[in-house]
């Protein structure tokens, strides 16, 4: 069993749909992340949650809405997306230290490949 | 200028070759450095951290040059299974400094 599990693996949605991506980590970590990976581009950090509190929103459009009900689960709610939002969405977790330090490695899930039509 | 820059490649090398990748970073206050590996259509995985004194893990050697602001990854005796994209990752300074990923360098090892 992988430490970080994402569902679904693939998602095709129209621009008017609403869908959610789910992430669950079994590593006992207290920090969770959403990253976006587009073709030929570096991974882009979207959101960071530390102890269930959002600590970073990297200027992400409001059509992406994260939710972190507890330290083990992270969701990304999607609505009225654009075709340019098609990408691989990666969830990750790590053990954040005191004061929110992020020194431990990231453990990634296998991603959701999203296509917006 | 990108905060972390890598030559995207691809680097095509025969089995058994030695290959080196460089990565430059622009923020001189950057604190920690890592190499991640990403196989095709898979998630990135930590390959190794990079320490100031340089460090080795089997066939892989990582070096850090703070004065010139670059890190390197050397792979000796390349295997077919080394074919992947290698991501340079830099942690910004400060306790909450986030990780900045490079675009990645693609390595293809040929038989």
């Amino acid at each position: 069993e992988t430490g970080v599990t994402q569902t679904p693996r693939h998602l095709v949605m129209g621009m008017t749909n609403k869908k959610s991506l789910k992430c669950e980590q079994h590593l006992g970590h207290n920090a969770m992340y959403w990253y976006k990976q587009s073709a030929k581009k570096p991974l882009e950090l979207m959101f960071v949650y530390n102890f269930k509190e959002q600590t970073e929103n990297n200027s992400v459009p409001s059509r992406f809405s994260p939710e972190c009900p507890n330290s083990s689960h992270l969701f990304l709610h999607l609505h009225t997306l654009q075709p340019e939002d098609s990408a691989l969405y990666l969830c990750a977790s790590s053990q954040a230290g005191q004061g929110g330090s992020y020194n431990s490695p990231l453990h990634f899930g296998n991603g959701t490949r999203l296509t917006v039509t | 200028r990108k905060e972390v820059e890598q030559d995207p490649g691809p680097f095509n090398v025969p089995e058994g070759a030695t290959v080196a990748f460089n990565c430059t970073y622009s923020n001189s206050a950057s604190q920690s450095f890592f190499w991640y590996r990403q196989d095709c259509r898979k998630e990135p995985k930590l390959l190794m951290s990079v320490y100031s004194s340089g460090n080795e893990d089997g066939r892989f050697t990582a070096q850090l040059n703070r004065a010139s602001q670059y890190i390197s990854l050397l792979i000796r005796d390349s295997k077919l299974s080394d074919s992947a994209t290698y991501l340079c990752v830099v942690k910004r300074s400060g306790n909450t400094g986030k990780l900045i990923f490079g675009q990645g360098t693609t390595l293809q090892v040929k038989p």
Side-chain angles (χ1 to χ4, degrees):
Chain A
E1 179 187 303
T2 58
V4 182
T5 306
Q6 286 187 246
T7 55
R9 292 293 303 273
H10 301 273
L11 178 62
V12 179
M13 58 187 288
M15 290 191 285
T16 58
N17 291 159
K18 288 185 181 180
K19 296 286 184 183
S20 295
L21 310 185
K22 179 182 175 183
C23 176
E24 183 174 359
Q25 59 98 359
H26 311 277
L27 299 168
H29 289 161
N30 50 25
M32 295 188 77
Y33 311 74
W34 280 116
Y35 279 87
K36 174 183 178 182
Q37 188 174 36
S38 304
K40 308 291 185 189
K41 287 187 176 180
L43 269 77
E44 300 169 54
L45 179 64
M46 300 176 73
F47 302 103
V48 182
Y49 278 83
N50 189 358
F51 293 98
K52 303 187 300 176
E53 299 297 320
Q54 188 179 125
T55 57
E56 183 141 359
N57 175 337
N58 207 25
S59 303
V60 180
S62 59
R63 56 185 184 270
F64 295 91
S65 174
E67 178 190 358
C68 187
N70 55 59
S71 294
S72 300
H73 294 85
L74 186 64
F75 296 90
L76 188 62
H77 304 299
L78 316 171
H79 65 98
T80 59
L81 294 192
Q82 305 298 312
E84 59 265 27
D85 296 323
S86 299
L88 179 68
Y89 289 85
L90 290 159
C91 172
S93 71
S94 72
Q95 188 62 26
Q98 282 190 328
S101 62
Y102 301 107
N103 291 316
S104 70
L106 293 175
H107 293 257
F108 285 91
N110 46 27
T112 295
R113 190 159 296 279
L114 173 67
T115 303
V116 181
T117 60
Chain B
R1 182 186 173 188
K2 294 177 186 174
E3 190 164 347
V4 179
E5 294 216 52
Q6 293 182 254
D7 180 347
F11 284 58
N12 294 301
V13 302
E15 265 188 296
T18 295
V19 61
F21 311 133
N22 281 341
C23 164
T24 59
Y25 59 94
S26 60
N27 188 337
S28 59
S30 297
Q31 197 171 51
S32 306
F33 309 89
F34 309 90
W35 284 102
Y36 277 70
R37 170 189 169 135
Q38 186 171 22
D39 291 293
C40 186
R41 305 187 78 81
K42 296 280 187 71
E43 74 277 18
K45 292 183 180 178
L46 178 68
L47 178 66
M48 58 197 301
S49 301
V50 185
Y51 301 119
S52 298
S53 54
N55 48 299
E56 191 174 304
D57 182 1
R59 297 181 293 109
F60 298 82
T61 300
Q63 298 275 359
L64 167 63
N65 186 320
R66 285 191 184 272
S68 301
Q69 293 181 209
Y70 77 83
I71 68 174
S72 64
L73 178 68
L74 180 79
I75 305 175
R76 290 181 299 278
D77 189 22
S78 301
K79 312 289 185 194
L80 295 177
S81 57
D82 293 334
S83 298
T85 296
Y86 291 84
L87 304 172
C88 172
V89 184
V90 173
K91 179 179 177 292
R92 286 178 178 168
S93 62
N95 275 339
T96 57
K98 63 184 184 184
L99 296 180
I100 307 298
F101 283 76
Q103 181 184 355
T105 297
T106 299
L107 172 66
Q108 293 176 353
V109 181
K110 309 285 189 184

